[in-house]
Amino acid sequence: MEQIVATFYQFVELPDHEDFGKRLKKRCEESDVLGTVILATEGINATIAGTKKGIGEVMAFLRTDKRLAQMTHRESIAERHAFHRLRIINRPEIVTLGDPSVNPCEAVGEHVDPEDWNALITDPEVILIDTRNDYEVEVGTFQGAIDPKTETFGEWDDYVKKRHADDKEKKVAMFCTGGIRCEKASAHLLKNGFEKVYHLKGGILNYLRKIKPEDSMWEGECFVFDHRVSVIHGLEEGECEVCFGCRWPLQKEDMESPLYEPGVCCPRCAEDL
């Protein structure tokens, strides 16, 4: 069954996020929309899926709140159910950095459109950083990007201090799946004295949607947090699966390994299990 998958986020003051979440849950249930919505006093971050009509109803409901009236969303098509349930999660942060003083509403890096991204990252003076976690980077990344090898975003501050303490006057470009992590990562860099900070507008998903494969500097697939596991150019579903044993994303060579047993283990965890 074909579904519409919608992704969106907004940094905005939501002190009433718990009550707001209850109303949103009711609207999603009435529209038969599933997915994951994270709410905090700093805003909303979500990926939801349903029919075109259902997604339209939920987005219209969200935009009736004047704080979210200008929030944009991006849609892609899934050939199977992207989610099996609805989760409305209340957290201290919608992107967990662990430093509440970092506020993207105050200042973020310069957004770079996908059409201008290749020119920026081929500049030899630009430091290109993939802000995602290690398992996401392994599935795919941009040519020449630095992998911070972080397991969680909470490690970002330590990584910057150890690896880029002397780079505050250099150009730093960063990217993530949909753009939200870079909003906070770029705000963090600016707060800590970095002068020239850029990030990919709309994230990797926006780049894969707009840039043709023959013009692309993306290598591999893009990990996504739903049952599709990964997407490729045009936001079509990729070939990756997730290991039942260790939850690591598996690529074609992993699934061809004699150590791979569907529903049990993969080359990464077979010996441990």
Side-chain angles (χ1 to χ4, degrees):
M1 175 183 175
E2 186 176 278
Q3 283 194 318
I4 300 296
V5 180
T7 59
F8 53 91
Y9 69 87
Q10 181 78 43
F11 282 100
V12 64
E13 291 187 10
L14 281 179
D16 57 334
H17 61 88
E18 292 187 6
D19 288 337
F20 182 81
K22 293 175 183 177
R23 298 197 305 273
L24 176 58
K25 181 175 185 289
K26 183 174 183 294
R27 176 68 269 175
C28 288
E29 290 173 343
E30 291 173 348
S31 298
D32 198 23
V33 166
L34 306 177
T36 301
V37 181
I38 301 173
L39 295 165
T41 55
E42 67 176 7
I44 183 171
N45 179 25
T47 302
I48 57 175
T51 63
K52 183 76 172 177
K53 179 176 180 291
I55 294 296
E57 291 171 346
V58 171
M59 297 310 303
F61 166 80
L62 289 167
R63 292 178 181 131
T64 58
D65 188 307
K66 63 181 181 180
R67 296 168 296 184
L68 304 175
Q70 302 303 314
M71 182 174 67
T72 60
H73 77 284
R74 291 182 173 84
E75 295 184 358
S76 58
I77 296 174
E79 299 298 332
R80 54 174 169 164
H81 286 290
F83 297 97
H84 294 313
R85 59 175 174 158
L86 174 66
R87 300 172 67 213
I88 307 290
I89 305 169
N90 290 283
R91 289 181 179 170
E93 300 175 80
I94 54 175
V95 183
T96 306
L97 176 63
D99 183 354
S101 69
V102 176
N103 184 359
C105 292
E106 295 177 355
V108 295
E110 181 178 333
H111 292 95
V112 180
D113 290 325
E115 295 85 353
D116 301 321
W117 184 247
N118 291 357
L120 175 66
I121 66 175
T122 51
D123 181 341
E125 296 185 0
V126 169
I127 298 171
L128 179 62
I129 307 174
D130 191 330
T131 67
R132 299 171 303 154
N133 297 330
D134 49 7
Y135 61 91
E136 299 170 79
V137 179
E138 184 165 306
V139 175
T141 191
F142 279 104
Q143 297 173 23
I146 297 171
D147 175 7
K149 301 187 184 302
T150 54
E151 294 183 7
T152 69
F153 189 48
E155 300 170 25
W156 173 254
D157 182 62
D158 286 339
Y159 162 74
V160 171
K161 289 177 179 175
K162 292 176 181 177
R163 182 71 182 270
H164 299 289
D166 298 325
D167 296 332
K168 294 185 178 181
E169 296 181 0
K170 297 180 180 178
K171 297 177 182 177
V172 178
M174 60 185 72
F175 60 93
C176 58
T177 307
I180 186 171
R181 181 173 291 203
C182 288
E183 298 279 351
K184 188 164 276 193
S186 66
H188 168 271
L189 291 188
L190 292 172
K191 181 176 179 291
N192 284 276
F194 286 76
E195 300 176 0
K196 303 170 184 176
V197 183
Y198 308 87
H199 51 108
L200 178 58
K201 185 176 182 179
I204 301 161
L205 297 179
N206 196 30
Y207 183 92
L208 294 179
R209 182 172 68 91
K210 290 187 173 183
I211 304 302
K212 296 178 181 179
E214 58 268 28
D215 299 324
S216 176
M217 294 190 65
W218 177 261
E219 296 179 332
E221 300 182 2
C222 177
F223 182 87
V224 291
F225 294 90
D226 59 60
H227 291 300
R228 294 174 297 174
V229 183
S230 66
V231 295
I232 57 175
H233 283 87
L235 299 185
E236 296 181 6
E237 187 171 340
E239 297 182 349
C240 289
E241 298 290 344
V242 171
C243 174
F244 186 85
C246 65
R247 308 309 298 169
W248 195 266
L250 305 175
Q251 300 179 67
K252 187 177 180 180
E253 55 268 29
D254 298 314
M255 292 181 279
E256 292 176 346
S257 168
L259 296 177
Y260 173 58
E261 187 171 346
V264 180
C265 61
C266 71
R268 183 180 176 84
C269 67
E271 293 185 4
D272 294 334
L273 294 178

